[in-house]
């Protein structure tokens, strides 16, 4: 068994390295995802008309105190 494993390891070590999907397209996929992410959030933050007033001052009116 050990000789078979050793033989397989030597055979695979001599095999030429073949680039896989991540080696070929990894950076391209990453850049494409970053571009989509950036464009979608740019649209959301600029075009959807969201009010970004984070302070509650002036919006919350006090009610009369009941005794």
């Amino acid at each position: 068994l050990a000789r078979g494993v050793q033989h397989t390891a030597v055979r695979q070590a001599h095999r030429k390295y073949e680039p896989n999907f991540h080696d070929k397209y990894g950076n391209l996929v990453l850049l494409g995802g970053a571009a989509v992410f950036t464009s979608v959030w740019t649209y959301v933050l600029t075009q959807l008309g969201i009010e970004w007033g984070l302070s509650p001052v002036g919006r919350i009116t006090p009610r009369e105190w009941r005794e």
Side-chain angles (χ1 to χ4, degrees):
L1 177 69
R3 186 173 293 269
V5 171
Q6 186 180 17
H7 186 70
T8 304
V10 167
R11 197 172 16 168
Q12 286 180 351
H14 285 294
R15 193 174 66 183
K16 200 166 72 169
Y17 178 74
E18 302 165 359
N20 60 13
F21 179 84
H22 296 286
D23 294 328
K24 289 182 180 178
Y25 306 111
N27 289 334
L28 195 65
V29 170
L30 183 69
L31 289 174
V36 170
F37 177 87
T38 304
S39 60
V40 166
W41 274 108
T42 301
Y43 174 77
V44 167
L45 294 177
T46 58
Q47 298 298 317
L48 286 187
I50 300 172
E51 271 190 39
W52 294 104
L54 299 177
S55 171
V57 175
R59 284 195 217 178
I60 299 174
T61 56
R63 288 188 305 198
E64 291 296 322
W65 181 256
R66 292 192 306 245
E67 293 202 24

